[in-house]
Amino acid sequence: MPEGHSVHRLARQFADCFVGQALSVSSPQGRFADGAAVLDGAVLEAARAHGKQLFLCFADDRVLRSHLGLYGAWSFGGTERFRGASSIGAPRRIGEREADDDGGSAGPLLAPPPVGAVRVRMVGDEGWADLRGPTLCVLETRQEAEGARARLGPDPLDPGADPAPFVSAVRRSRRSVGALLMDQSVLAGVGNIFRAESLFRCGLDPAAPGRSLEEDTLQLLWAENVALMRTGARLGRIVTTDPADRTGPGRGAVRREDAHYVYQRQGLPCRRCATPVAMRELEGRTLFWCPSCQR
């Protein structure tokens, strides 16, 4: 599932490529036909992300709110002047990076026929965007969309976010901190990778009850997720290791096998203490941690 950094990159992509334009909106698959008919020809005024949800704000009090879930993806294409020729979401072809397409045409925009089950297609002046396989795709008023956003926890990628609600929610709970980090009403945007890696970097036992953790510890955990997610948004992939803990060359792009401390490294030696990385299920999701470093 794309984590919050990918959705923030999506919001920037829509802002750069489509905001201010009257968009042609359709639903080739048909499952969003009514919503597409309402949005067709409307001007996209803003694009923003909160956690794993994307909010596309159109004129006349209309918002397209989407959540990619496990299988959703937005793909983009257009002329050579279009700056959004890539695909963001799942499936991701190269680790956690977005995959570029083959480039755009030099002539006037000619959107190709939709491929696969395209829930929503948006066509602007120089490019198009196709949405496939989302968990959520709804048309709302701005008040309804704001109500949905308010039910989410603070987003570490929001420069104005206050970590206090996150700290308070964790310290009130008997649930494990590993479970709470995945609860989008507690903290928005963190998924399985950021959960595993931020807990490792803070030396926290994923099984520790939230109410057992001090405020300073949770402030540190918040700051760690802010830093990791900002790096992910900048790079277009999740890299959590420090250079000293990597085995590959010191220069150039970080190799996929060097990108994480514990995520999907079960059975391999911890990069810092050599204890085998552990794995188990926690509330339906796979958890990775170092039993020695995280006590």
Side-chain angles (χ1 to χ4, degrees):
M1 180 184 296
E3 304 199 24
H5 72 295
S6 290
V7 184
H8 277 266
R9 287 173 66 87
L10 268 173
R12 287 206 304 268
Q13 187 127 306
F14 272 99
D16 290 345
C17 301
F18 294 110
V19 163
Q21 300 175 32
L23 302 183
S24 172
V25 183
S26 61
S27 179
Q29 180 195 53
R31 291 182 60 183
F32 190 68
D34 291 344
V38 173
L39 293 176
D40 189 34
V43 173
L44 181 63
E45 296 183 334
R48 60 190 178 94
H50 190 97
K52 300 178 183 180
Q53 298 196 29
L54 177 67
F55 299 77
L56 299 179
C57 304
F58 289 82
D60 299 324
D61 192 32
R62 292 168 288 186
V63 179
L64 174 60
R65 180 167 64 95
S66 63
H67 187 305
L68 293 177
L70 286 171
Y71 305 110
W74 281 97
S75 60
F76 299 82
T79 68
E80 286 184 347
R81 295 177 294 276
F82 186 70
R83 292 171 289 171
S86 69
S87 175
I88 300 180
R92 296 174 295 284
R93 301 177 208 164
I94 313 173
E96 278 292 317
R97 287 176 289 172
E98 292 89 33
D100 291 340
D101 71 5
D102 295 329
S105 63
L109 177 66
L110 181 62
V115 176
V118 176
R119 184 78 56 88
V120 181
R121 165 166 281 196
M122 299 183 181
V123 182
D125 298 339
E126 298 284 350
W128 65 87
D130 287 347
L131 174 62
R132 298 176 179 85
T135 294
L136 176 73
C137 177
V138 294
L139 179 63
E140 298 178 323
T141 65
R142 297 200 179 198
Q143 183 177 5
E144 290 169 335
E146 178 58 26
R149 189 204 64 79
R151 291 191 289 273
L152 299 171
D155 182 343
L157 283 176
D158 177 357
D162 181 1
F166 160 69
V167 173
S168 177
V170 174
R171 296 200 71 203
R172 290 196 309 266
S173 179
R174 292 185 175 88
R175 294 172 67 199
S176 70
V177 65
L180 289 165
L181 281 184
M182 297 285 280
D183 186 335
Q184 298 300 297
S185 68
V186 174
L187 186 63
V190 169
N192 216 11
I193 305 177
F194 285 126
R195 183 258 299 267
E197 297 296 301
S198 63
L199 287 172
F200 174 84
R201 290 181 62 92
C202 290
L204 291 177
D205 180 355
R211 64 189 304 178
S212 72
L213 301 177
E214 298 294 331
E215 180 174 347
D216 288 350
T217 299
L218 293 172
Q219 290 283 357
L220 177 63
L221 184 58
W222 166 270
E224 193 66 56
N225 276 287
V226 169
L228 293 178
M229 293 178 74
R230 283 179 178 172
T231 298
R234 176 172 55 85
L235 297 178
R237 59 182 299 216
I238 300 178
V239 177
T240 62
T241 51
D242 295 329
D245 294 322
R246 300 169 191 157
T247 59
R251 296 182 178 180
V254 177
R255 301 185 307 170
R256 185 175 183 179
E257 56 267 33
D258 283 334
H260 306 137
Y261 282 105
V262 292
Y263 179 73
Q264 291 191 342
R265 296 192 70 246
Q266 63 274 19
L268 296 175
C270 173
R271 297 185 189 277
R272 291 186 173 170
C273 75
T275 299
V277 172
M279 177 184 76
R280 72 178 179 90
E281 293 296 309
L282 178 64
E283 296 192 7
R285 299 297 298 274
T286 305
L287 173 70
F288 305 88
W289 82 103
C290 173
S292 296
C293 293
Q294 297 174 253
R295 293 184 176 180

